[in-house]
Amino acid sequence: MFSFPPLLSSPSLLKTLLLVAALFVCYTNSSASTPTIPTKIGKGYRLVSVAESPDGGLVGHLQVKQKNNIYGPDIPLLQLYVKHETDGRLRVHITDAEKERWEIPYNLIPRAQPPTLKQSITSKSTNEPITVSEYSSSGLIFSYTTDPFGFAVKRKSNGQTLFNSTSDGSDPFGNLVFKDQYIEISTKLPKDASLYGLGENTQPHGIKLFPNDPYTLYTTDISAINLNADLYGSHPVYMDLRNVGGDVNAHAVLLLNSNGMDVVYRGSSLTYKVIGGVLDFYFFSGPTPLAVVDQYTEFVGRPAPMPYWSLGFHQCRWGYHNLSVVEDVVESYKKAKIPLDVIWNDDDHMDGHKDFTLNAKNYPRPKLLAFLDKIHKQGMKYIVIIDPGIGVNSSYGVYQRGLANDVFIKYHGKPFLAQVWPGAVNFPDYLNPKTVSWWADEVKRFHELVPVDGLWIDMNEASNFCNGLCTIPVGRICPNGTGPGWICCLDCKNITNTKWDDPPYKINASGLQVPIGYKTIATSATHYNGVLEYDAHSLYGFSQSVATHKALQGLQGKRPFILSRSTFVGSGKYAAHWTGDNKGTWNDLKYSISTMLNFGIFGVPMVGSDICGFYPAPTEELCNRWIELGAFYPFSRDHANFYSPRQELYQWKSVAVSARNALGMRYKLLPYLYTLAYEAHISGAPIARPLFFSFPNFTRSYGLSTQFLLGKSLMVSPVLDKAKTKVHALFAPGTWYSLFDMTQVIVVKEGHYRALDAPLHVINVHLYQNTILPMQQGGLRSKEARMTPFSLVVTFPLGASDGEAKGNLYLDDDELPEMKLGNGYSTYVDFYATVSKGKVKVWSGVQESKFALEKGWYVEKVTVLGLNGIGAELEVEVDGIAAVDTSNVEFTATEHKFPDSLEEDVNDDMKKSMMLEVRGLKLSVGKKFAMSWSMGIRG
């Protein structure tokens, strides 16, 4: 749901927005700085002592060289702490040596604590000049210069400099600046480095960071249609990919800091400008993109296990006015034969927009419970929205219990007053342990009222329709129900008399340098133990995700599903994410890919955008193309706004056709997607990922933002432009098979673009060579789809006489909280295949067979692509014992086809290759099997 209007629906509203815009301009023009202008402030610091710390790291002290008052006085003495925490992870921590400063709570993101400020240094200090010293692990080397102080991080294997903060005078940046409310540090970069990350923002230039584009990190409720602006999440991490003479290495840099910041990327350098906290850098050595994400999520938290049904299709709309509308939506999807697993309610189910309530008239509980019982029996699920703002209402039990437990954020000792959908609200303080307990109790009470299957936490940046210090008006109702709910109706006055509400350096908030407390909680408000909103602001949605996850874990012992709009470092450990309020435009369709790929890098692999756009009405053609793409988002949901026409996929006959095609394929791929979700959970591997993850030497893919991979080898190439019936897709070198017609094959010797046919109902999806893809037969519900027989698709390089392929499959009871092997309720299968000396062999290895055996799953078909001969003399073994009866097994061979004008890399021998299907099998997934046959070579 959004907090700003998608349409200018009235003249008075237009006037209001124009006034706000004018205020933006005034504030911007009076701003103290422009983020893209290089700054050189002071002379930096000198290293005055360095020694070994008690834990084997380094501790040093830095003294300011020349004081100045730009953005406030310098902190005179800093503590430097450096530690190789693992072979692939280096930490560099810099803070005030004499006073404790704000840091992200160590219980929120668990990590080692640096030496305390009063802790003695174990080795002797040195006051003698130090030129260069090095401190290394097996992966990374930390080195430093003393005057002015700077540090560098190098890769030990090849000496490549990953980060270098030392300015030599000719650089466009200065030395280290460390003030109470302004910290600046920079690094040099090679111009050919490709950088990704620093989000959440909508990047018009694609996934690669673009020099001189603004990158501001501060959680903000502005629509995702705003380009180059700080949106709902803050992820101060970037991945750096470099190809030097064919030697490809990736690494990542995380600045673990929750304060607002501008990051200025100039191509040859990158500068952080942070308005508080500490410098707490983590360097992850990679050297592959997958290894980087593995190391990153090992530190910030592995992605949450996802229930199987969450990978099905979801339908939502703000504006399902009563239960009968929801019932009709479910029935209409069924009639249209379009898969649907989850039906959602925005706040329509609530009583007066209040959390944890039901509208007795429009969603009467007895009828809602009967409806839920019906869809639950079909395997469907139900999710509702919960906003953080708790309505101030003397008859509202949730509020009264919150007040009694003292759970709300304070301003001068009283709960901070804001306005969101219920009207006047207070915001729970999720940094307070009492709040977490109260929240869990409210979730439990609501679940007893309505047995929902997950929770959607929205507006948690946190969003506020008002500004400043507000009171409830006397003598008038607020809101009165006659005007737009997002117009502030409280009596408010600005708060600008504190350094927290009006800091000396203005980050580029909302892309317009508005005050950082604009349309959110006042930054001088306080959390538990006196923590300032100024410091903790960007943690709000994250801390709510943590509390909600804990609350849901306590219900029935089931695996939680949470969808959160606002995210921070580590949010993927607790929640999925959608990219917020987008528009039904072709540009927004394109932007969704880059944002999705970024969140995979951020360790939030379960991500997607509102299919067909949140507002306004999409065109029929756009909705066709969007469901074709959206069917392959990790999180696939259609969601529309209150003021838009209905856009469920069955509303247009043509869209229904595209939906049946694309979602039909998604449901066949559910075992593959679920296996990817398992891999994400154990290693952080993104479900959707850029091509360079699998093809790091293919430099043409480094900026590719119009295609993506699901896992290592399934490539999605959507149509992203109006009135196009062809798509120009970039193919990495090798053999690619069309997933929708496996007889069609594309071979490229050197990667380049190919023009592919893409009529209205077609999306191009291709499977790479050397892969074994597990699939099932699909269905209208994931529950029924996952009980259908399996098939395996084996891909060899086209016409190869020797080749091998691999794949895997993870299966479990997805209701269990944990996603792991060894509990008796999961099975993991490795699949292998080879072709050699005229013989094809396909076999499996099974871990924890019990679960799959109990379910009775079996493989009924194996399809092998790229062979140069037909099959004969089939031999099958199960658990090492030869299977006698293969009488029902049938071989079918079909020659491969080559799309028009795509044959320049295909020789005559390749043109004789074929697809071979082996049908009539009944190979238990829970048992090791091996099957082989000889090929009869075709003349």
Side-chain angles (χ1 to χ4, degrees):
M1 190 190 298
F2 67 99
S3 63
F4 297 104
L7 300 170
L8 302 180
S9 55
S10 71
S12 60
L13 179 56
L14 177 57
K15 290 177 183 177
T16 302
L17 293 177
L18 290 173
L19 176 60
V20 170
L23 289 173
F24 281 174
V25 172
C26 291
Y27 194 90
T28 303
N29 290 340
S30 64
S31 166
S33 71
T34 302
T36 54
I37 296 176
T39 54
K40 293 191 178 183
I41 301 171
K43 302 295 183 180
Y45 286 75
R46 67 169 62 91
L47 181 67
V48 294
S49 69
V50 64
E52 185 180 351
S53 66
D55 62 359
L58 294 180
V59 172
H61 286 100
L62 310 174
Q63 190 175 66
V64 70
K65 294 183 65 176
Q66 185 182 84
K67 294 182 179 179
N68 66 76
N69 286 312
I70 301 173
Y71 303 135
D74 296 280
I75 293 176
L77 190 65
L78 304 177
Q79 175 180 283
L80 166 71
Y81 169 67
V82 184
K83 181 71 189 299
H84 290 283
E85 296 190 332
T86 69
D87 286 341
R89 183 174 83 229
L90 170 69
R91 184 183 190 183
V92 179
H93 183 278
I94 302 174
T95 188
D96 190 329
E98 298 174 321
K99 296 179 182 178
E100 287 191 6
R101 290 179 62 78
W102 161 256
E103 295 189 54
I104 295 165
Y106 280 77
N107 65 337
L108 205 58
I109 299 182
R111 59 203 189 278
Q113 297 223 23
T116 60
L117 302 179
K118 296 180 180 179
Q119 198 165 6
S120 61
I121 297 176
T122 58
S123 300
K124 67 176 183 177
S125 297
T126 172
N127 292 315
E128 299 175 5
I130 303 171
T131 52
V132 175
S133 186
E134 291 188 349
Y135 169 53
S136 66
S137 71
S138 62
L140 295 172
I141 301 171
F142 173 85
S143 64
Y144 55 85
T145 56
T146 59
D147 191 3
F149 169 76
F151 73 88
V153 178
K154 297 181 180 179
R155 189 182 300 281
K156 192 167 187 178
S157 62
N158 59 12
Q160 189 176 74
T161 299
L162 311 185
F163 193 96
N164 184 358
S165 72
T166 305
S167 174
D168 61 11
S170 64
D171 296 304
F173 58 84
N175 291 296
L176 172 65
V177 181
F178 207 118
K179 299 166 186 284
D180 185 33
Q181 290 183 267
Y182 182 79
I183 304 171
E184 181 180 315
I185 192 169
S186 303
T187 179
K188 299 174 185 178
L189 290 168
K191 290 186 177 180
D192 58 351
S194 296
L195 269 59
Y196 311 87
L198 294 179
E200 175 179 13
N201 57 52
T202 300
Q203 300 173 193
H205 294 107
I207 187 174
K208 272 181 66 172
L209 299 192
F210 194 79
N212 300 316
D213 271 0
Y215 295 95
T216 299
L217 303 177
Y218 191 73
T219 61
T220 306
D221 175 15
I222 58 172
S223 169
I225 69 174
N226 292 276
L227 307 181
N228 291 324
D230 45 316
L231 300 180
Y232 313 105
S234 174
H235 295 270
V237 60
Y238 68 86
M239 179 186 288
D240 182 334
L241 180 66
R242 303 180 190 177
N243 187 325
V244 181
D247 181 20
V248 181
N249 291 279
H251 69 274
V253 180
L254 165 68
L255 174 55
L256 191 59
N257 182 301
S258 62
N259 291 82
M261 68 181 78
D262 289 325
V263 184
V264 183
Y265 172 53
R266 301 185 187 92
S268 61
S269 67
L270 185 144
T271 298
Y272 297 90
K273 301 182 178 190
V274 193
I275 61 173
V278 302
L279 293 177
D280 196 3
F281 281 107
Y282 291 83
F283 299 90
F284 305 92
S285 65
T288 66
L290 271 178
V292 166
V293 182
D294 186 1
Q295 293 159 358
Y296 179 69
T297 56
E298 180 185 31
F299 172 62
V300 305
R302 298 297 194 192
M306 290 291 150
Y308 199 92
W309 54 261
S310 69
L311 292 164
F313 182 68
H314 304 242
Q315 177 61 52
C316 182
R317 175 180 171 80
W318 180 29
Y320 288 149
H321 302 292
N322 55 52
L323 180 59
S324 63
V325 178
V326 176
E327 292 173 318
D328 179 69
V329 170
V330 172
E331 191 61 29
S332 295
Y333 266 95
K334 184 179 179 181
K335 287 180 180 178
K337 293 184 170 52
I338 300 171
L340 178 66
D341 257 74
V342 190
I343 187 71
W344 296 56
N345 263 127
D346 211 307
D347 72 354
D348 304 293
H349 68 285
M350 296 180 182
D351 176 19
H353 307 285
K354 298 191 297 293
D355 284 346
F356 306 120
T357 64
L358 273 182
N359 183 312
K361 179 182 178 182
N362 295 330
Y363 284 82
R365 184 169 181 259
K367 290 185 177 181
L368 178 59
L369 292 180
F371 168 69
L372 294 185
D373 183 60
K374 177 182 176 181
I375 67 169
H376 282 152
K377 287 178 179 176
Q378 298 173 10
M380 288 189 64
K381 305 296 180 180
Y382 178 62
I383 295 176
V384 299
I385 199 168
I386 299 289
D387 292 339
I390 302 298
V392 175
N393 187 316
S394 60
S395 63
Y396 178 32
V398 177
Y399 171 69
Q400 292 301 322
R401 289 186 291 272
L403 209 57
N405 283 283
D406 192 25
V407 304
F408 298 116
I409 292 172
K410 302 286 181 52
Y411 191 87
H412 290 173
K414 296 180 180 180
F416 177 77
L417 191 70
Q419 181 188 326
V420 200
W421 298 112
V425 299
N426 295 150
F427 287 115
D429 174 13
Y430 297 102
L431 299 183
N432 186 340
K434 286 201 303 184
T435 307
V436 176
S437 298
W438 162 81
W439 187 252
D441 181 60
E442 297 300 340
V443 170
K444 181 181 179 182
R445 289 170 182 264
F446 181 62
H447 194 267
E448 290 170 352
L449 183 72
V450 184
V452 297
D453 300 289
L455 288 175
W456 171 17
I457 52 177
D458 190 19
M459 310 289 284
N460 53 352
E461 292 70 32
S463 181
N464 180 4
F465 298 163
C466 297
N467 285 303
L469 185 61
C470 303
T471 58
I472 297 175
V474 178
R476 72 175 191 272
I477 299 173
C478 172
N480 60 20
T482 61
W486 54 79
I487 299 299
C488 179
C489 58
L490 300 177
D491 288 334
C492 303
K493 61 180 181 181
N494 288 334
I495 309 173
T496 57
N497 59 346
T498 77
K499 65 179 184 178
W500 311 117
D501 298 293
D502 188 22
Y505 175 78
K506 314 298 191 245
I507 63 170
N508 193 26
S510 300
L512 295 162
Q513 291 184 285
V514 300
I516 56 173
Y518 179 78
K519 296 283 187 175
T520 188
I521 300 167
T523 43
S524 52
T526 53
H527 293 253
Y528 179 67
N529 275 349
V531 169
L532 286 164
E533 170 70 8
Y534 179 87
D535 294 313
H537 170 81
S538 288
L539 295 176
Y540 193 81
F542 174 51
S543 63
Q544 188 193 15
S545 294
V546 175
T548 306
H549 189 271
K550 185 175 182 180
L552 288 178
Q553 271 192 322
L555 297 176
Q556 302 177 340
K558 290 187 177 182
R559 188 176 300 176
F561 179 82
I562 301 163
L563 185 72
S564 179
R565 189 168 74 179
S566 185
T567 59
F568 187 71
V569 173
S571 280
K573 183 178 179 180
Y574 305 98
H577 174 64
W578 94 106
T579 63
D581 299 344
N582 58 1
K583 289 182 77 173
T585 71
W586 293 95
N587 278 338
D588 285 76
L589 177 66
K590 294 185 185 77
Y591 300 150
S592 72
I593 296 178
S594 294
T595 307
M596 171 182 67
L597 297 180
N598 264 330
F599 270 88
I601 293 171
F602 297 152
V604 189
M606 189 64 166
V607 60
S609 295
D610 284 346
I611 292 169
C612 298
F614 183 60
Y615 70 92
T619 65
E620 182 175 348
E621 181 192 3
L622 175 62
C623 207
N624 269 278
R625 294 308 190 185
W626 210 320
I627 185 53
E628 290 167 8
L629 168 59
F632 298 95
Y633 292 154
F635 172 66
S636 183
R637 183 183 73 159
D638 181 304
H639 180 216
N641 141 20
F642 189 95
Y643 297 95
S644 297
R646 296 282 291 271
Q647 64 181 46
E648 292 85 3
L649 302 179
Y650 54 78
Q651 297 288 349
W652 299 273
K653 288 184 178 179
S654 70
V655 175
V657 173
S658 294
R660 284 190 288 269
N661 288 346
L663 288 173
M665 181 58 74
R666 180 188 182 90
Y667 274 61
K668 293 176 183 177
L669 290 170
L670 285 176
Y672 177 67
L673 293 173
Y674 193 63
T675 302
L676 293 180
Y678 171 70
E679 291 177 357
H681 177 57
I682 63 172
S683 71
I687 297 173
R689 57 188 80 162
L691 263 67
F692 66 74
F693 268 65
S694 291
F695 306 99
N697 283 294
F698 186 35
T699 56
R700 293 187 70 180
S701 73
Y702 285 9
L704 185 65
S705 306
T706 54
Q707 297 165 247
F708 59 94
L709 295 173
L710 291 173
K712 294 179 180 179
S713 54
L714 195 64
M715 184 172 71
V716 182
S717 306
V719 172
L720 301 173
D721 296 292
K722 183 179 180 180
K724 299 293 184 182
T725 55
K726 285 187 179 292
V727 62
H728 291 270
L730 182 63
F731 286 86
T735 304
W736 296 87
Y737 299 93
S738 170
L739 193 63
F740 284 90
D741 179 359
M742 295 180 198
T743 64
Q744 292 215 17
V745 59
I746 290 174
V747 180
V748 288
K749 291 180 180 177
E750 296 181 4
H752 47 78
Y753 282 90
R754 300 285 199 170
L756 306 176
D757 288 332
L760 184 62
H761 304 306
V762 169
I763 181 169
N764 280 274
V765 181
H766 288 84
L767 185 62
Y768 193 57
Q769 64 189 37
N770 308 324
T771 300
I772 300 180
L773 178 71
M775 299 177 71
Q776 285 177 285
Q777 292 180 353
L780 297 182
R781 307 277 185 267
S782 65
K783 180 181 180 180
E784 65 184 52
R786 79 178 305 203
M787 296 311 297
T788 60
F790 280 84
S791 62
L792 302 178
V793 180
V794 181
T795 62
F796 292 121
L798 188 69
S801 56
D802 289 282
E804 62 179 28
K806 295 179 181 179
N808 43 51
L809 174 65
Y810 175 80
L811 302 159
D812 74 357
D813 178 351
D814 74 318
E815 293 290 291
L816 295 178
E818 295 188 34
M819 194 179 204
K820 65 178 185 180
L821 290 171
N823 60 4
Y825 295 94
S826 56
T827 296
Y828 190 85
V829 185
D830 285 301
F831 296 110
Y832 307 91
T834 57
V835 57
S836 179
K837 298 179 181 179
K839 192 167 188 175
V840 180
K841 183 178 180 181
V842 182
W843 73 99
S844 70
V846 182
Q847 299 178 54
E848 308 288 336
S849 62
K850 175 176 173 286
F851 178 71
L853 288 173
E854 289 177 349
K855 292 294 183 181
W857 282 308
Y858 64 92
V859 176
E860 71 162 4
K861 182 175 73 169
V862 174
T863 303
V864 186
L865 309 180
L867 296 177
N868 58 12
I870 60 176
E873 302 176 16
L874 178 69
E875 298 177 0
V876 179
E877 290 183 355
V878 178
D879 279 346
I881 301 172
V884 178
D885 185 10
T886 57
S887 58
N888 292 325
V889 176
E890 178 185 0
F891 283 92
T892 305
T894 309
E895 287 190 352
H896 282 300
K897 297 176 289 188
F898 305 93
D900 293 343
S901 75
L902 301 185
E903 295 188 39
E904 58 261 35
D905 292 330
V906 180
N907 59 41
D908 288 338
D909 288 338
M910 289 179 177
K911 291 179 181 179
K912 299 176 182 178
S913 298
M914 62 194 66
M915 174 182 81
L916 189 68
E917 290 186 316
V918 187
R919 297 175 178 270
L921 300 166
K922 199 163 186 179
L923 302 172
S924 173
V925 172
K927 294 182 179 181
K928 297 178 183 179
F929 68 80
M931 55 185 293
S932 61
W933 65 88
S934 299
M935 290 190 297
I937 305 299
R938 297 190 66 179

